[in-house]
Amino acid sequence: MTILEVSSQLIENTVQKMSLTSVLLAASVFTLTLGYLSKLLFRQQTHTGDQKYPPHIPSSIPFLGHAVAFGKSPIEFLERAYEKYGSVVSFTMVGKTFTYLLGSDAAALMFNSKNEDLNAEDVYARLTTPVFGKGVAYDVPNPLFLEQKKMLKTGLNIAQFKRHVEIIEEETIDYFKRWGDSGERNLFEALSELIILTASRCLHGCEIRQMLDERVAQLYADLDGGFTHAAWLLPGWLPLPSFRRRDRAHLEIKKIFYNVIKKRREATEKNDDILQTLIDATYKDGRPLNDDEIAGMLIGLLLAGQHTSSTTSSWLGFFLARDRALQERCYSEQKTVCGEHLPPLHYDQLKDLSLLDRCLKETLRLRPPIMTMMRMAKTPQKVGEYTIPPGHQVCVSPTVNHRLQDTWAERLDFSPDRYLHDNPAAGRSSLTSPSEPVVTAVLEKTLPTFRLKPSGRLC
């Protein structure tokens, strides 16, 4: 890993003196050679000492390793690895060693670990820093990041959630009114647009929501496009189109936020929202957040909520569209809980929508919005009979763990009623957002007669 980092730095220092084609050719030759040498060193390392390392899936391709096979079909790749090698398995991709913890018992290592042992910043910073900016999230030491998360949590309380229900319902109804009586839309694109609107209004405040036209929405899309495999695996200085769009969008959105923050600081009256919470917040040492930190946290908050909610809502819409009887049951439940004529929703009613809640759980089981969670091993980690050495990227895949054959009955079936049983083998990793039940409930009463075509489009 150290050799590869040094080679990346050397290439970066010479990039301005060479053409892009020459740089890529030289980088490929250089890294392939170093990757092959690193692989030989790894093989020697796994056979020294008394510690037993996880089984390593062999590959005849230097440096790239299993990147192509994994990229084509990661779920099937990991399921085959589980069947052949067991719950702990390592393999190489682009010169890096990944160790996957498959199954709930092995995955417990990650969820029970300390950040100084399994470190998050070392794997996520290269993804999040260009999108959120410096000084926030994984670009700061973990204790500081925990303070920032606590500030956000202060502004995302039950009282705020109760107010958000009305806002989300209003935005949802207004959005679908603009569709007209007929037409065809892509379900994922539509829900992504809708949740950008609801998330911005709930999390950013009215000023930023009012600026959310098509141009700003595209900036958000360009920022979200920064979360790709290329951004994770390749050096950030490469002049890729997606990297350039991401960086331009980051600067443009921050300019918008700076103007709003400036006006808020100068205002005599205070708003009760997350933006005001961040403006008034201070670290433990008494230092307030600066404008750059506030803007970065607002970007992170929006994209984190938008991505998970739009993905989950789209898959839930897909599963419901395939089962007319289940649609009718959800619709009937909502009329029973909320009233026959479906008056405005209230926060306290959501807990009584038990079937809708089970549908959300089953959607999160089959299609969690995050396929893999990662940490960097900083110290040797013991799991079962194996020791994971420092330098490995330790991974847990909720998608794979939620559908293992030896854990789940009828594992690929969408079966919300499995949660009526005492032991549904429910996954331990559920990623959701407080807005999802609200959006879904509103969708149920806004679009009761819509159907999904085989093309994946809402009609």
Side-chain angles (χ1 to χ4, degrees):
M1 289 297 295
T2 303
I3 294 174
L4 291 172
E5 290 170 358
V6 171
S7 70
S8 178
Q9 184 64 47
L10 288 173
I11 296 170
E12 184 173 359
N13 291 338
T14 59
V15 69
Q16 295 180 347
K17 302 177 182 179
M18 304 171 63
S19 69
L20 178 59
T21 303
S22 300
V23 170
L24 293 176
L25 181 60
S28 298
V29 174
F30 194 45
T31 52
L32 282 172
T33 303
L34 289 173
Y36 181 69
L37 293 174
S38 299
K39 184 179 177 182
L40 292 178
L41 290 173
F42 175 80
R43 283 178 175 174
Q44 292 177 354
Q45 182 187 26
T46 56
H47 290 84
T48 60
D50 297 330
Q51 294 177 326
K52 185 177 181 180
Y53 293 103
H56 190 271
I57 304 176
S59 172
S60 57
I61 306 175
F63 184 66
L64 282 178
H66 293 280
V68 175
F70 184 88
K72 284 183 177 180
S73 186
I75 297 174
E76 287 75 12
F77 179 92
L78 292 173
E79 287 179 338
R80 289 194 299 269
Y82 177 73
E83 293 174 6
K84 185 172 182 179
Y85 297 97
S87 59
V88 186
V89 61
S90 299
F91 54 93
T92 300
M93 290 194 296
V94 197
K96 301 175 182 178
T97 302
F98 296 82
T99 297
Y100 267 82
L101 308 175
L102 304 172
S104 58
D105 292 338
L109 171 68
M110 177 180 289
F111 300 124
N112 296 328
S113 66
K114 297 180 180 179
N115 192 66
E116 54 264 31
D117 296 321
L118 291 179
N119 185 271
E121 302 96 84
D122 283 2
V123 292
Y124 288 133
R126 66 183 302 149
L127 264 179
T128 60
T129 302
V131 176
F132 304 160
K134 290 189 171 295
V136 297
Y138 295 107
D139 188 60
V140 297
N142 188 251
L144 200 62
F145 185 25
L146 293 177
E147 286 194 56
Q148 293 175 350
K149 288 198 287 187
K150 187 175 181 181
M151 295 173 190
L152 293 173
K153 186 177 179 180
T154 300
L156 296 174
N157 50 50
I158 296 298
Q160 290 285 5
F161 290 157
K162 289 182 177 181
R163 292 174 49 210
H164 291 169
V165 171
E166 181 181 350
I167 293 172
I168 293 170
E169 182 168 31
E170 179 184 326
E171 288 281 356
T172 303
I173 293 173
D174 289 345
Y175 178 81
F176 287 112
K177 278 182 180 178
R178 297 193 291 271
W179 277 23
D181 296 329
S182 63
E184 182 176 299
R185 291 290 302 271
N186 180 285
L187 179 62
F188 177 69
E189 291 176 0
L191 290 178
S192 295
E193 291 174 3
L194 169 60
I195 292 172
I196 277 285
L197 299 176
T198 61
S200 181
R201 185 160 167 201
C202 293
L203 303 177
H204 287 167
C206 293
E207 303 100 319
I208 295 175
R209 167 64 183 89
Q210 290 169 358
M211 300 177 185
L212 198 56
D213 54 17
E214 291 183 0
R215 185 185 72 86
V216 178
Q218 184 58 51
L219 291 177
Y220 282 132
D222 290 342
L223 265 184
D224 193 45
F227 293 117
T228 63
H229 286 96
W232 175 42
L233 293 172
L234 298 177
W237 48 263
L238 285 176
L240 300 179
S242 62
F243 289 7
R244 289 177 174 177
R245 289 194 299 268
R246 174 200 64 194
D247 296 340
R248 282 197 298 266
H250 175 82
L251 294 175
E252 288 295 318
I253 288 179
K254 276 202 166 178
K255 287 179 183 178
I256 295 172
F257 286 174
Y258 291 154
N259 291 331
V260 173
I261 294 168
K262 182 175 183 294
K263 291 179 181 178
R264 275 290 187 97
R265 291 191 187 278
E266 295 171 348
T268 55
E269 295 184 5
K270 290 188 176 183
N271 295 60
D272 184 16
D273 56 23
I274 192 66
L275 174 56
Q276 193 66 50
T277 298
L278 295 179
I279 290 174
D280 296 338
T282 59
Y283 290 105
K284 289 181 180 179
D285 61 6
R287 178 177 70 84
L289 292 168
N290 60 43
D291 290 1
D292 206 44
E293 290 171 317
I294 294 174
M297 291 171 70
L298 288 175
I299 291 173
L301 188 62
L302 178 76
L303 291 183
Q306 190 274 340
H307 179 79
T308 55
S309 295
S310 59
T311 302
T312 301
S313 298
S314 298
W315 276 111
L316 176 56
F318 173 79
F319 289 129
L320 286 177
R322 295 194 308 175
D323 190 335
R324 185 69 182 180
L326 185 58
Q327 290 181 50
E328 295 294 343
R329 288 176 61 196
C330 287
Y331 192 47
S332 175
E333 177 186 69
Q334 188 168 351
K335 290 193 292 184
T336 300
V337 172
C338 302
E340 183 66 27
H341 300 292
L342 298 177
L345 284 168
H346 297 290
Y347 177 86
D348 292 334
Q349 293 172 329
L350 297 176
K351 68 179 185 300
D352 296 323
L353 298 173
S354 58
L355 176 57
L356 184 62
D357 181 64
R358 296 199 303 276
C359 289
L360 272 171
K361 286 181 179 178
E362 187 69 342
T363 301
L364 288 166
R365 182 185 74 84
L366 285 172
R367 295 292 178 179
I370 295 179
M371 190 267 178
T372 291
M373 294 176 284
M374 297 177 292
R375 300 289 188 270
M376 177 65 71
K378 308 294 285 187
T379 61
Q381 296 296 303
K382 186 76 172 177
V383 53
E385 60 182 320
Y386 302 114
T387 298
I388 303 173
H392 281 214
Q393 294 200 24
V394 181
C395 307
V396 168
S397 173
T399 308
V400 174
N401 286 358
H402 290 177
R403 53 198 285 172
L404 292 177
Q405 288 184 343
D406 57 4
T407 304
W408 295 89
E410 301 174 336
R411 66 190 187 102
L412 300 182
D413 291 348
F414 184 80
S415 178
D417 288 342
R418 72 172 73 238
Y419 299 96
L420 293 172
H421 307 307
D422 293 336
N423 183 23
R428 302 182 183 183
S429 311
S430 291
L431 303 171
T432 187
S433 163
S435 67
E436 285 165 17
V438 186
V439 172
T440 309
V442 177
L443 285 172
E444 278 294 318
K445 72 176 186 179
T446 308
L447 302 174
T449 60
F450 278 60
R451 68 186 187 279
L452 197 74
K453 292 177 66 177
S455 62
R457 292 182 176 272
L458 192 67
C459 306

